[in-house]
């Protein structure tokens, strides 16, 4: 789960960085939308981190906000797929400091970054599904009581076992004594 939270932090940072690459300061609707969605994604990753470590209620908040943000990210990415020329022209018109040829450069940036963002949005969808599975299928208290039961059973068995040095008889007794003597000389005597 925490791996997907790292992916979510990367997605939020990439949205913000790409918006600032497109237009600094952002004046057009797409860069502003990228910054807003990226910032909210970074904040939502905190809910996911707290939810995966401590509180299931935070995991529920993470799932709700994360679903809305992932849909917003998908809309922005699909808009970049559908109208990269329109986005580039709007940014070039809003930014008077750029020359007329900058719309082509902006369009090229959009053409390659949209694939990267799409890959990360898909990874974020997988992360949300993982969080949903954790929310629905994991013990709400997060305690593992079975281990204490196993440990108690093991301790009981170990305490009831007879001491093998007192029960060794016959032909095996001499062999045990010689092996325990060589082990004791190498590692030292075992004291209870």
């Amino acid at each position: 789960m925490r791996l997907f939270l790292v992916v979510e932090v990367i997605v939020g940072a990439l949205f913000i960085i790409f918006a600032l690459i497109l237009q600094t300061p952002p004046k057009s609707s797409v860069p502003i939308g990228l910054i807003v969605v990226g910032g909210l994604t970074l904040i939502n990753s905190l809910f996911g981190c707290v939810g995966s470590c401590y509180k299931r209620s935070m995991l529920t908040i993470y799932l709700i906000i994360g679903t809305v943000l992932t849909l917003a990210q998908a809309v922005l990415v699909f808009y970049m797929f559908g109208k990269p020329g329109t986005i580039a022209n709007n940014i070039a018109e809003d930014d008077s400091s750029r020359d007329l040829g900058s719309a082509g450069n902006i369009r090229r940036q959009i053409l390659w970054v949209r694939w990267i963002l799409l890959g990360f949005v898909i990874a974020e969808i997988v992360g949300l599904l993982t969080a949903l599975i954790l929310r629905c299928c994991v013990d709400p208290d997060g305690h593992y009581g079975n281990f204490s039961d196993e440990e108690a059973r093991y301790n009981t068995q170990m305490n009831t076992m007879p001491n093998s040095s007192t029960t060794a008889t016959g032909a095996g007794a001499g062999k045990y004594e010689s092996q325990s003597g060589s082990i004791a000389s190498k590692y030292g005597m075992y004291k209870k």
Side-chain angles (χ1 to χ4, degrees):
M1 177 67 202
R2 291 181 189 102
L3 174 68
F4 293 113
L5 293 173
V6 171
V7 169
E8 186 168 1
V9 168
I10 291 171
V11 168
L14 280 176
F15 269 74
I16 293 171
I17 290 169
F18 183 60
L20 294 175
I21 288 172
L22 285 178
Q23 190 177 36
T24 305
K27 299 172 190 169
S28 183
S29 61
V30 172
I32 290 172
L34 288 171
I35 288 178
V36 169
V37 169
L40 291 175
T41 301
L42 289 174
I43 293 169
N44 191 43
S45 66
L46 294 175
F47 286 118
C49 184
V50 171
S52 69
C53 295
Y54 305 110
K55 302 282 185 191
R56 284 178 56 133
S57 60
M58 292 293 192
L59 198 58
T60 304
I61 293 170
Y62 167 76
L63 282 169
I64 293 168
I65 296 173
T67 302
V68 172
L69 286 174
T70 303
L71 289 173
Q73 291 169 358
V75 166
L76 282 169
V77 170
F78 289 136
Y79 185 64
M80 286 183 212
F81 273 99
K83 304 217 179 223
T86 305
I87 297 170
N89 290 336
N90 289 341
I91 292 172
E93 287 174 8
D94 288 340
D95 198 356
S96 60
S97 64
R98 294 186 184 219
D99 60 350
L100 295 176
S102 67
N105 291 335
I106 295 170
R107 186 174 188 281
R108 279 191 292 280
Q109 289 173 348
I110 292 170
L111 290 177
W112 65 268
V113 168
R114 64 186 182 180
W115 289 102
I116 295 170
L117 293 177
L118 179 66
F120 277 111
V121 168
I122 290 171
E124 199 167 348
I125 291 169
V126 172
L128 284 173
L129 291 175
T130 303
L132 181 65
I133 291 170
L134 283 175
R135 174 71 177 97
C136 296
C137 300
V138 174
D139 179 29
D141 297 329
H143 299 295
Y144 298 102
N146 297 339
F147 291 125
S148 60
D149 295 340
E150 284 288 324
E151 185 178 352
R153 189 170 37 249
Y154 175 75
N155 287 337
T156 304
Q157 289 175 351
M158 291 304 291
N159 290 334
T160 58
M161 288 180 64
N163 188 354
S164 60
S165 63
T166 59
T167 58
T169 58
K175 187 171 186 175
Y176 172 77
E177 294 297 327
S178 67
Q179 286 178 349
S180 65
S182 63
I183 291 173
S185 66
K186 186 173 183 180
Y187 299 109
M189 288 298 290
Y190 172 75
K191 296 178 184 175
K192 283 190 175 184

